[in-house]
């Protein structure tokens, strides 16, 4: 709970300290490639693909090339297990500090910052068998982590980018069905390829 409020407060404070000069809005969408890193080597996991889509806002500060972007994205995350697939849908709010190289036509950029997410759809629990051990997996409703992004802005209105989404909170708990005690956890790792169109 403390982590949840800490990340939420960080997002709000980061957004409010910036000058609204250079404010613009757009739409962002793209492809997700997600997996879950479990704290124990019990599961054979694999990537799943999904998508993300939602509105985005960018604010450039009076300092040339320095700004922030924030979005509200519907995004799909999860992992592929041996006998089942974990797939959850989140409303995710990333806020990134951004640096752009201010060239005339192409503006390469780097960005990084925190995100928070709230599960809005998907199964709450799954079971999977590994070496005759039946594991129960339960998803949590809140996630938080860090984003690291790079890309390029084309013709002042289109941004193409690659993002690595590193979960810092435990998104899943794992249980041995025969011994129902929390025995591990899982954190989401996601690569995304996206395009944003600003108006």
């Amino acid at each position: 709970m403390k982590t949840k409020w800490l990340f939420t407060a960080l997002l709000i404070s980061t957004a409010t300290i910036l000058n609204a000069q250079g404010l613009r809005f757009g739409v962002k969408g793209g492809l997700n490639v997600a997996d879950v890193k479990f704290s124990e080597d019990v599961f054979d996991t694999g990537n799943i693909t999904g998508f993300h889509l939602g509105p985005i806002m960018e604010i450039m500060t009076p300092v040339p090339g320095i700004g922030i972007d924030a979005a509200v994205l519907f995004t799909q995350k999860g992992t592929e297990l041996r006998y089942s697939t974990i797939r959850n849908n989140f409303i995710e709010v990333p806020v990134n500090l951004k640096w752009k190289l201010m060239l005339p036509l192409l503006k390469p950029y780097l960005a990084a910052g925190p995100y928070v997410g709230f599960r809005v759809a998907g199964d709450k629990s799954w079971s999977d068998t590994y070496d005759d051990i039946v594991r129960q997996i339960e998803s949590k409703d809140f996630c938080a982590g860090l984003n690291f992004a790079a890309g390029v802005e084309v013709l002042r209105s289109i941004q193409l980018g690659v993002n690595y989404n590193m979960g810092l909170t435990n998104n899943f708990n794992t249980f041995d069905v025969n011994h129902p005690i929390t025995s591990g956890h899982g954190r989401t790792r996601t690569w995304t390829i996206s395009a944003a169109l600003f108006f």
Side-chain angles (χ1 to χ4, degrees):
M1 182 63 70
K2 290 183 179 180
T3 304
K4 175 179 178 179
W5 290 113
L6 176 63
F7 272 88
T8 303
L10 181 60
L11 293 177
I12 295 173
S13 61
T14 303
T16 55
I17 61 175
L18 292 172
N19 192 316
Q21 179 178 348
L23 175 65
R24 60 179 182 166
F25 297 91
V27 176
K28 180 178 181 178
L31 175 70
N32 297 350
V33 179
D35 197 1
V36 176
K37 175 64 175 177
F38 287 98
S39 60
E40 51 184 347
D41 295 329
V42 175
F43 303 103
D44 288 333
T45 64
N47 297 330
I48 68 164
T49 57
F51 71 92
H52 60 276
L53 180 67
I56 186 172
M57 173 186 70
E58 182 185 80
I59 305 171
M60 299 306 295
T61 69
V63 180
I66 302 296
I68 192 171
D69 66 34
V72 179
L73 301 174
F74 177 88
T75 186
Q76 297 178 320
K77 296 183 176 183
T79 190
E80 186 77 30
L81 300 177
R82 180 179 292 187
Y83 298 112
S84 59
T85 299
I86 296 176
R87 188 182 299 274
N88 277 320
N89 300 328
F90 289 83
I91 296 297
E92 197 167 276
V93 183
V95 178
N96 295 317
L97 183 65
K98 178 182 285 185
W99 172 79
K100 287 195 286 189
L101 184 60
M102 304 301 286
L103 300 178
L105 296 179
L106 297 177
K107 296 180 175 62
Y109 71 82
L110 298 173
Y115 73 87
V116 295
F118 303 90
R119 192 175 71 90
V120 295
D123 294 331
K124 181 68 176 178
S125 63
W126 300 259
S127 62
D128 200 71
T129 303
Y130 187 88
D131 290 341
D132 297 324
I133 299 175
V134 181
R135 293 283 179 168
Q136 187 79 17
I137 308 164
E138 293 187 355
S139 63
K140 295 189 174 182
D141 294 331
F142 173 79
C143 65
L146 295 174
N147 291 306
F148 302 94
V152 62
E153 180 177 305
V154 183
L155 300 177
R156 302 188 56 156
S157 61
I158 299 173
Q159 286 185 1
L160 306 174
V162 177
N163 186 86
Y164 179 65
N165 181 287
M166 182 176 68
L168 296 180
T169 56
N170 296 331
N171 304 122
F172 300 93
N173 284 334
T174 63
F175 303 83
D176 185 334
V177 171
N178 297 318
H179 303 86
I181 300 174
T182 301
S183 59
H185 60 264
R187 297 181 178 182
T188 304
R189 302 287 189 263
T190 308
W191 286 95
T192 69
I193 301 172
S194 62
L197 175 64
F198 288 94
F199 307 116

